């Protein structure tokens, strides 16, 4: 059995525009100890790239690959379970997170 930490972002690492006290040190310690972990969020309004930029601005060193968002989970599922093109009805801001699957262009069949 493997064990890992699931670490939420909003309200755990930061709240609004402010870092939660002790969050930077805790994440550095987890990373230094090589404890398996992934960051999770339910946000669908920003791509992972923007989330990483926000975290970096707070002083966190977190890669895109270590963040799981609903669009990333959906894209992974689609790539593993659907053949052919997919029609996306999503905010344009998160469209970039679906770059590994074939997409039907809006307004075209």
């Amino acid at each position: 059995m493997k064990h890992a930490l699931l670490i939420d972002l909003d309200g755990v690492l930061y709240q609004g525009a402010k870092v939660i006290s002790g969050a930077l040190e805790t994440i550095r310690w987890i990373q230094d100890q090589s404890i398996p972990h992934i960051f999770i969020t339910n946000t669908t309004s920003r791509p992972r790239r923007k989330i990483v930029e926000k975290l970096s601005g707070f002083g966190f060193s977190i890669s895109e690959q270590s963040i799981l968002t609903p669009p990333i989970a959906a894209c992974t599922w689609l790539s593993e379970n659907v053949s052919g093109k997919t029609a996306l009805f999503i905010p344009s801001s998160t469209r970039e997170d679906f770059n590994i699957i074939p997409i039907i262009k809006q307004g075209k069949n």
Side-chain angles (χ1 to χ4, degrees):
M1 176 188 294
K2 292 188 177 190
H3 297 277
L5 298 174
L6 300 176
I7 304 167
D8 193 12
L9 297 177
D10 194 9
V12 175
L13 300 188
Y14 63 86
Q15 189 162 15
K18 186 177 177 186
V19 175
I20 301 290
S21 178
L24 282 166
E25 297 81 6
T26 300
I27 297 306
R28 283 189 197 119
W29 182 84
I30 290 168
Q31 291 168 332
D32 289 346
Q33 300 302 310
S34 299
I35 297 171
H37 62 282
I38 191 165
F39 299 94
I40 56 174
T41 180
N42 63 356
T43 189
T44 59
S45 61
R46 290 177 299 202
R48 272 197 308 190
R49 177 181 56 80
K50 288 290 190 181
I51 295 169
V52 167
E53 288 175 12
K54 180 175 184 169
L55 293 169
S56 179
F58 288 139
F60 293 101
S61 179
I62 297 172
S63 70
E64 282 188 39
Q65 292 72 29
S66 63
I67 298 174
L68 180 60
T69 66
I72 295 301
C75 183
T76 300
W77 187 89
L78 288 167
S79 71
E80 293 172 358
N81 294 285
V82 175
S83 61
K85 292 185 176 184
T86 300
L88 296 178
F89 300 93
I90 60 171
S92 60
S93 59
T94 55
R95 202 167 195 62
E96 71 185 67
D97 282 342
F98 288 85
N99 63 358
I100 65 168
I101 62 169
I103 299 170
I104 296 172
K105 302 293 183 202
Q106 286 182 328
K108 295 183 181 182
N109 292 332

